[in-house]
């Protein structure tokens, strides 16, 4: 039985895991290391529900990195009620005439849905109802009672900071794989 695990970071972001047992020499496994580094370094896939203004989305999307990768952008609750259930099942929704803006990397299912200020209780309920039996992810909704800057400089940074703080709380409570609405 191995008693000690040593993790060392070497050049080019290769991780070597050294395992040792009492009285035995160390050895390493790059196979497990490659799996570990891909888990550590990969941003978690998320869906963002926002408006049709590309300037707001383009400003906030990179601010979710490196923790979260926006794989898909929903622009309305009616379309979200159709598209989100497909995404939760790791299926690509049909592509509309306009570019989506998300990375469209559907290799992993989304871990959360981030809804912007335009989405109230009714809109989120409509989308969640369409996902019943499929959703085991948190739905983040903006808490409108918390002051926020007006659209413009600082708005995107403020929203991204609030979303990330909410996700950290969800992760800390072990509820990342639970359906529910969380206020950020």
């Amino acid at each position: 039985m191995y008693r000690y695990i040593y993790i060392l970071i070497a050049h080019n972001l290769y991780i070597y895991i050294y395992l040792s047992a009492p009285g035995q020499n160390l050895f390493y496994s790059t196979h497990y290391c490659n799996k570990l580094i891909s888990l550590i370094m990969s941003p978690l896939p998320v869906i963002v529900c926002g408006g049709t203004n590309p300037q707001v989305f383009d400003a906030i999307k990179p601010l979710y990195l490196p923790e979260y990768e926006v794989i898909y952008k929903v622009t309305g609750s009616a379309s979200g009620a159709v598209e989100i259930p497909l995404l939760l099942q790791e299926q690509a929704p049909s592509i509309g005439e306009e570019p989506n803006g998300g990375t469209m990397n559907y290799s992993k299912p989304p871990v959360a849905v981030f809804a912007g200020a335009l989405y109230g209780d009714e809109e989120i309920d409509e989308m969640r109802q369409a996902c019943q039996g499929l959703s085991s992810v948190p739905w983040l909704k903006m808490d409108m009672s918390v002051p926020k800057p007006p659209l413009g400089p600082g708005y995107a940074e403020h929203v991204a900071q609030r979303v990330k703080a909410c996700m950290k709380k969800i992760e800390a409570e072990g509820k990342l794989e639970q359906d529910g609405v969380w206020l950020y």
Side-chain angles (χ1 to χ4, degrees):
M1 177 121 214
Y2 297 107
R3 293 177 96 187
Y4 305 101
I5 298 176
Y6 301 91
I7 299 177
L8 302 174
I9 300 178
H11 297 294
N12 299 325
L13 291 177
Y14 286 100
I15 295 179
Y16 295 92
I17 299 177
Y18 293 90
L19 305 171
S20 71
Q24 292 185 354
N25 291 333
L26 298 174
F27 69 93
Y28 66 93
S29 168
T30 56
H31 170 74
Y32 294 111
C33 297
N34 290 337
K35 294 250 185 218
L36 179 63
I37 197 166
S38 70
L39 290 173
I40 292 171
M41 302 301 285
S42 296
L44 298 174
V46 297
I47 300 167
V48 169
C49 302
T52 57
N53 183 344
Q55 291 175 329
V56 174
F57 179 72
D58 291 344
I60 200 164
K61 179 182 166 186
L63 298 175
Y64 289 130
L65 290 169
E67 296 93 337
Y68 308 103
E69 171 189 13
V70 178
I71 63 168
Y72 198 81
K73 176 189 171 198
V74 171
T75 57
S77 59
S79 62
V82 173
E83 297 161 345
I84 295 173
L86 294 171
L87 293 163
L88 291 173
Q89 296 175 77
E90 297 180 63
Q91 297 176 17
S94 61
I95 298 174
E97 292 178 16
E98 294 192 25
N100 177 269
T103 63
M104 295 188 276
N105 177 3
Y106 308 125
S107 62
K108 295 185 285 187
V111 299
V113 178
F114 301 166
L118 298 175
Y119 293 79
D121 292 336
E122 289 180 26
E123 291 82 8
I124 291 175
D125 287 344
E126 177 184 356
M127 294 184 292
R128 285 186 68 222
Q129 290 289 328
C131 298
Q132 265 193 324
L134 303 173
S135 177
S136 61
V137 300
W139 295 68
L140 279 65
K141 174 183 175 265
M142 182 176 276
D143 184 347
M144 299 307 281
S145 68
V146 175
K148 64 183 180 311
L151 284 177
Y155 179 82
E157 291 83 359
H158 177 82
V159 171
Q161 181 182 27
R162 285 173 53 179
V163 167
K164 286 181 175 186
C166 185
M167 284 296 287
K168 282 183 185 175
K169 180 180 177 184
I170 292 168
E171 288 181 63
E173 293 179 12
K175 296 183 178 180
L176 191 58
E177 296 180 9
Q178 291 182 12
D179 179 58
V181 177
W182 293 75
L183 297 177
Y184 67 88

